[in-house]
Amino acid sequence: MAVELYDEHEQSERVRGWLRENGASLLIGVGLALAGIFGWRQWISYQDSRDLLASEYYTAIQLELDEDRLSAAQEQFAEMQEAVDGHTYGDLAAMLLAAAEVEAGEVAAALDRYQALLERNAEGALEPLIRLRLARLHAAQGQGEQGLTLLAGDAPIGFESLWLEVRGDLLVGLDRTDEAIEAYADAAEQLRGEGNSARLVEVKLDALRSRTRTAEAS
């Protein structure tokens, strides 16, 4: 019995000693763990409210554009940037705005907006689409070299035919006819059997070949 009591007493003293030495760090660890849990919940709540606000701004911008109120949409977007800067919905809203600005003839504003989008989405999911739209805009402005720079290298997967078609448009504008015919022909081959998209490229290709034959005959 004496041995058993001694063992229990010794064990309890060891526990008290361990708590004296490690109790503070144990309490700190528990406190940090609890703070982490509550902090994570607050972060999730913050993210949810931010997502909701960004979605509402996006919808408001979309509605303004549907009603042909470009200036109002631009004002909404400026407010959106202040409220939820860097949100994915902001990039999507910027894409809508840039397209509307092109239609409204505000080309300089659209170019700046696409360029800013491209810088924010380097290697992101939207990058190929932004590059294509920006390259098309350069083609329309007779800025072929800038457009070709945007489409340099291999096309991203899923964008091959569009890449080739827009390259063809840019090359036509630069009077690089042979290269343009090759780009259109490759695009038409990839789009074979895909309806209107294929026919549009074939029309461009046939028109360019016909123009080339006429030029050679004269």
Side-chain angles (χ1 to χ4, degrees):
M1 177 67 73
V3 173
E4 290 177 3
L5 287 172
Y6 176 78
D7 287 344
E8 290 176 7
H9 175 73
E10 184 182 52
Q11 289 171 9
S12 64
E13 285 300 315
R14 286 179 178 176
V15 169
R16 290 192 187 97
W18 185 89
L19 287 172
R20 282 196 297 272
E21 292 177 7
N22 301 285
S25 57
L26 177 63
L27 288 173
I28 291 171
V30 171
L32 288 173
L34 290 172
I37 291 170
F38 287 113
W40 177 250
R41 286 178 179 171
Q42 287 182 328
W43 171 249
I44 292 297
S45 177
Y46 165 74
Q47 287 296 105
D48 287 345
S49 62
R50 192 167 183 267
D51 291 345
L52 179 60
L53 183 59
S55 174
E56 289 174 350
Y57 269 114
Y58 177 83
T59 301
I61 290 167
Q62 196 171 36
L63 289 172
E64 296 290 6
L65 293 176
D66 288 344
E67 296 297 325
D68 293 324
R69 294 193 291 261
L70 178 58
S71 295
Q74 290 168 329
E75 290 173 8
Q76 287 277 1
F77 182 74
E79 292 178 14
M80 183 182 191
Q81 285 185 301
E82 291 183 10
V84 288
D85 187 38
H87 199 282
T88 301
Y89 270 116
D91 290 340
L92 296 174
M95 294 284 281
L96 288 178
L97 266 181
E101 285 164 345
V102 170
E103 290 183 10
E106 297 185 16
V107 177
L111 280 169
D112 289 343
R113 203 175 297 283
Y114 279 133
Q115 191 60 49
L117 273 167
L118 185 60
E119 291 168 6
R120 284 202 303 275
N121 286 273
E123 300 182 7
L126 287 175
E127 184 188 8
L129 186 56
I130 296 167
R131 283 187 180 276
L132 280 169
R133 288 194 179 182
L134 193 51
R136 286 182 192 273
L137 198 49
H138 280 306
Q141 294 298 299
Q143 300 165 343
E145 294 295 347
Q146 292 96 315
L148 287 175
T149 298
L150 286 165
L151 303 183
D154 295 334
I157 295 172
F159 288 86
E160 294 89 351
S161 58
L162 284 170
W163 224 254
L164 288 163
E165 181 184 353
V166 177
R167 276 184 58 82
D169 295 342
L170 291 159
L171 290 163
V172 167
L174 292 169
D175 291 325
R176 291 160 59 176
T177 307
D178 290 342
E179 293 174 79
I181 288 173
E182 182 179 355
Y184 285 149
D186 289 343
E189 181 63 30
Q190 291 198 16
L191 288 168
R192 194 174 301 281
E194 294 194 21
N196 290 335
S197 297
R199 282 193 289 274
L200 176 60
V201 175
E202 288 167 359
V203 166
K204 290 181 180 181
L205 178 58
D206 291 342
L208 190 55
R209 283 173 171 166
S210 176
R211 193 172 75 189
T212 302
R213 286 193 295 267
T214 301
E216 289 174 350
S218 59

